[in-house]
Amino acid sequence: MSDLGSEEIEEEAENDLGEYEGERNEAGERHGQGKARLPNGDTYEGQYANGRRSGQGLYRFKNGARYIGEYFDNKKHGKGIFYYPDGSRYDGEWVEDQRHGNGIYYYVNGDTYDGEWFNHYRHGQGKYLYALTGSKYVGTWANGQQEGAAELIHLNHRYQGKFVNKNPLGAGKYIFDLGCEQHGEYIHEEKPEEEEEEEVMAPSIPKWKASKITALTLWAPEEPPPPPPAVEVAIVEEPTPPADDTATEVPSETTEQPAEAAEPTEETSPPKEAEEEDETAKEEQAAVIAEEKEEELEAQD
């Protein structure tokens, strides 16, 4: 959709039904900032240069579309956003009223394309996101179609190969998140001659032919390494020294205890000998007393 020519008709018409409010140059041309209502019902508010839209501006179409961005010589040129009547929009670079350069197109169904454009078509490197499935095409485009080497990424697997006219064709492989790869190719099946007319009506869809599956590998790059041996040795050796010390200390204490218990027995023996000496002394004294009594009795007689 383009607004090219709308204002030219207004400027060249003998009976000018449009309106303009803004700055002009010495020649009377629209120059600088201004507002215009075109004969077809469109409106423009922005910058002019020598009677033509040039610079930053806002163009509103009577059908509801609008463009906000840069102009040059009455054409969208530079960076700008175009809001289409159906609700979609393009945000990116323009060259002479064409989507050209890098830009993002937001479609009505939620899909998005982010990449290169050439003369209004997706062309070059780009990414297309399918909103319904979450799948994503990352690769090359040609004249609006998926063409060349690309990767089609799905939820739990992806396909790498070449595309021709939106469809995969030739050698490629599927890579699954489980860690395996399936190699093969997409081929066009040949149909009987009586179905040639139907092929023209409905293009054939390439069929996948698997050739091999690579060995399973873990998705992670490598397993975590085991703990260093030094840490293990330190953990084992730390509790052992206390166990050895206690083992040596316990016997030493048990051997000392009997020696301490034997000391009282040696100290108790002298008192027993003293008691025996006292008893003998008492017996001797008693014998002496008895003899003295006998002598006294004999003296009395």
Side-chain angles (χ1 to χ4, degrees), residues 176-180 215-224:
F176 297 90
D177 290 352
L178 295 175
C180 64
L216 289 172
T217 56
L218 295 177
W219 181 253
E222 61 181 6
E223 295 184 358

Side-chain angles (χ1 to χ4, degrees), residues 42 64 132:
D42 297 347
L132 183 61

Side-chain angles (χ1 to χ4, degrees), residues 230-293:
V231 177
E232 294 182 358
V233 173
I235 294 173
V236 175
E237 290 180 355
E238 284 180 358
T240 54
D244 295 339
D245 295 339
T246 54
T248 55
E249 290 175 359
V250 171
S252 62
E253 291 178 358
T254 54
T255 53
E256 290 176 0
Q257 286 179 354
E260 293 176 358
E263 289 178 359
T265 57
E266 294 176 356
E267 292 177 354
T268 55
S269 56
K272 288 182 180 180
E273 294 178 354
E275 290 177 359
E276 291 177 356
E277 293 177 353
D278 293 340
E279 289 178 358
T280 53
K282 289 178 180 180
E283 290 177 356
E284 291 178 353
Q285 290 178 359
V288 172
I289 295 170
E291 291 179 356
E292 290 177 355
K293 287 181 179 181

Side-chain angles (χ1 to χ4, degrees), residues 3-191:
D3 61 347
L4 178 61
S6 300
E7 195 167 358
E8 292 176 354
I9 296 175
E10 175 196 359
E11 293 173 350
E12 296 176 358
E14 294 181 0
N15 299 323
D16 187 3
L17 301 177
E19 298 178 357
Y20 174 77
E21 177 182 353
E23 301 174 344
R24 295 180 181 270
N25 58 14
E26 295 179 356
E29 298 173 327
R30 301 171 183 179
H31 192 87
Q33 192 71 20
K35 297 180 181 179
R37 181 184 61 81
L38 283 66
N40 63 358
D42 297 347
T43 61
Y44 173 78
E45 179 178 356
Q47 297 176 339
Y48 284 87
N50 300 323
R52 306 180 74 81
R53 295 185 295 276
S54 185
Q56 193 72 22
L58 167 62
Y59 193 104
R60 296 180 182 272
F61 297 82
K62 62 181 179 181
N63 62 3
R66 68 185 188 276
Y67 171 79
I68 305 173
E70 297 176 327
Y71 276 92
F72 179 75
D73 196 21
N74 261 9
K75 297 179 181 179
K76 296 183 286 292
H77 194 92
K79 293 184 178 180
I81 306 175
F82 198 104
Y83 297 86
Y84 294 90
D86 61 359
S88 61
R89 74 180 188 275
Y90 171 79
D91 184 354
E93 298 176 340
W94 298 79
V95 174
E96 295 186 352
D97 272 340
Q98 303 291 311
R99 295 187 292 268
H100 192 98
N102 288 284
I104 305 175
Y105 198 106
Y106 301 88
Y107 296 88
V108 180
N109 61 356
D111 294 356
T112 59
Y113 171 79
D114 183 359
E116 297 178 325
W117 296 78
F118 184 82
N119 289 340
H120 236 44
Y121 290 102
R122 298 184 294 264
H123 193 92
Q125 291 291 325
K127 296 181 292 184
Y128 192 100
L129 175 64
Y130 298 88
L132 183 61
T133 61
S135 300
K136 182 167 59 176
Y137 173 92
V138 181
T140 57
W141 299 73
N143 299 321
Q145 303 293 342
Q146 298 169 353
E147 191 90 16
E151 184 176 33
L152 186 59
I153 305 171
H154 300 285
L155 181 61
N156 55 5
H157 68 281
R158 60 187 187 273
Y159 172 78
Q160 293 178 348
K162 291 185 178 181
F163 286 74
V164 177
N165 193 22
K166 300 190 301 182
N167 293 315
L169 186 65
K173 65 178 180 179
Y174 280 93
I175 304 173
F176 297 90
D177 290 352
L178 295 175
C180 64
E181 298 180 356
Q182 186 183 66
H183 299 257
E185 62 177 339
Y186 274 99
I187 59 175
H188 285 286
E189 288 187 336
E190 296 183 359
K191 296 184 178 181

